[in-house]
Every structure is written in structure tokens, then in C-alpha cells.
Amino acid sequence: MASTDSPLSWRISVPVPATGDADAGNADAPQQEHFLCSSDTSRINLDALHAAMASNLLWWAKPLARPQLVAMVNNSVCLAVYHLKSPDDETGEMIGFARLITDRVTFAYLTDVYILPAYQRRGLGAWMMRCLRELCEGSGPEREGSTPASSGWPDLRSLWLVASTSSAARMYMGALGAEEAARYRATPGVPDSGMLLVEMPGPANGIRHHATKNGTAPKAE
């Protein structure tokens, strides 16, 4: 089994979005696009990450000097998504990113998640979150699309994140198996304002285990 420090990778192929009638009649046009998600920080394109942090895509961030950017990446658990030219490629354009601020044992906070606008609406954000969930929870015997098998973080209590919109929160909750925990910085008197604090309970979530043990856990519908 892989240790928590061993890079993990996942691959996926998705249909190429239709762009008009011209593509429909082109038999040579590619039918699928191929992507790699990897936790290997040595792959990360720091220039691409810097550009994203300097843009409105990561409106909560600001660009960092190179030494600070390197320190941020090296002190986090990062996932990056790459657009590949073929299913077996090992390198490609970095088009997405996410990082965990974590002790790598009991707790993690998810931030700086993005997919470049040109590659959105392909399900890649939700796929990256499913990869992240597998990184934390572990996977069984090696299976297609995931390399290698991982034991995960068995002592993880919780993974937290803040979602700026309800639609983003729903994506995170669906892909991570997470749940809404609270509203954050809501405007008094304005319903559904503010951001959503979302929690993915880990395998060692004591609150959930305590509730189950004492019969206070919510019953499944």
C-alpha cells in the first residue's frame, strides 16, 4: 500500500464538448479529451499556479513571490489536473488545482480549488474532489484509473472547506460525501447570504462515532 507521502494519480477521458456543426462533420476531430490528476508536487507548474492566483479565478488569493509559492506547495498536500494529448501521456498543461492545509493525520482544510474556465462544465472539478476523497479515505486493490492503491488517512477526523455559493457547496457535498456544517459571514436579515462551511467526516470522526454509539445520529431517509 502507498504511504501518505507517495504520489497518487488518477486518469479520466471525457467527451470533447461540441462547438458547432463544423465539428460534427469532421471525422478526424478528437472524440475524447484525456486528463491526469496527480498528488505529485514535482509536476506542479508554478507559473500556471501563480497566474491563477493573480487572476479573478482565485479572487480570495493574491500572487506570491516565488519562494513563498514554493513553500506553500511544499507545506501542503496538493492535487493538480493536467490536460493530456493522449491517454498514456505523463505530462500536459496544468488546468486545475486544489490543496489541503493539513497535519496529514487528523485534520485538513481544503482551499485554492480551481479548474480553468476553458475546461469547466466537463465534470473535472467534481472528479478532482472524488480523487481527493480517495486520497483521504484510501482505495481498495488497484483499479483502473487510480495508481497505486492507497491506505488513505485512517486517523482523519474531518476535512473542512468554505464554499462561496450554494451550487459549489452541492458539488463538494456530492463528490466528497460531505455535509453543510454552518453559514459563514452571513449578512444579518438576508436569507441564504454568506458562505457555507462544509465538512467531510473522516474515518476517525469522533463526533459521528459518538452520536452513533449513543443513538443520536440522524437516521437515513
Side-chain angles (χ1 to χ4, degrees):
M1 304 293 282
S3 74
T4 55
D5 293 325
S6 299
L8 303 175
S9 64
W10 300 260
R11 293 175 184 270
I12 194 173
S13 296
V14 301
V16 174
T19 58
D21 294 337
D23 288 342
N26 185 359
D28 296 326
Q31 300 302 304
Q32 288 191 316
E33 290 181 301
H34 312 288
F35 298 91
L36 170 74
C37 181
S38 173
S39 66
D40 186 351
T41 56
S42 69
R43 293 178 181 265
I44 293 173
N45 183 327
L46 294 175
D47 291 333
L49 181 56
H50 179 273
M53 295 182 70
S55 73
N56 290 332
L57 189 60
L58 270 66
W59 53 266
W60 57 88
K62 65 177 183 178
L64 299 172
R66 191 75 167 203
Q68 283 70 41
L69 188 64
V70 170
M72 183 194 80
V73 168
N74 288 340
N75 290 324
S76 304
V77 172
C78 301
L79 289 183
V81 176
Y82 304 88
H83 183 215
L84 308 176
K85 292 182 179 179
S86 71
D88 299 323
D89 274 355
E90 293 296 330
T91 59
E93 177 192 4
M94 191 174 106
I95 57 93
F97 181 79
R99 71 184 181 99
L100 292 176
I101 304 169
T102 178
D103 59 13
R104 302 172 191 252
V105 180
T106 65
F107 180 78
Y109 178 77
L110 176 64
T111 188
D112 296 340
V113 180
Y114 75 86
I115 297 289
L116 291 179
Y119 294 93
Q120 292 176 6
R121 301 187 181 278
R122 291 163 169 80
L124 296 174
W127 172 62
M128 180 166 56
M129 292 301 99
R130 292 194 297 271
C131 296
L132 176 63
R133 182 177 181 180
E134 188 171 297
L135 181 151
C136 294
E137 294 185 347
S139 61
E142 291 187 28
R143 58 183 177 81
E144 184 178 358
S146 174
T147 306
S150 169
S151 58
W153 298 354
D155 297 307
L156 180 68
R157 298 172 192 165
S158 293
L159 182 153
W160 292 86
L161 64 100
V162 173
S164 59
T165 65
S166 295
S167 59
R170 287 193 295 271
M171 184 278 287
Y172 287 118
M173 289 189 285
L176 292 173
E179 54 200 36
E180 180 181 336
R183 284 214 172 252
Y184 179 66
R185 291 184 174 174
T187 302
V190 180
D192 299 327
S193 63
M195 296 179 283
L196 291 168
L197 185 64
V198 175
E199 179 191 18
M200 183 190 86
N205 185 276
I207 295 175
R208 175 168 287 187
H209 287 215
H210 179 79
T212 301
K213 180 179 178 181
N214 290 278
T216 57
K219 296 181 180 180
E221 295 295 336

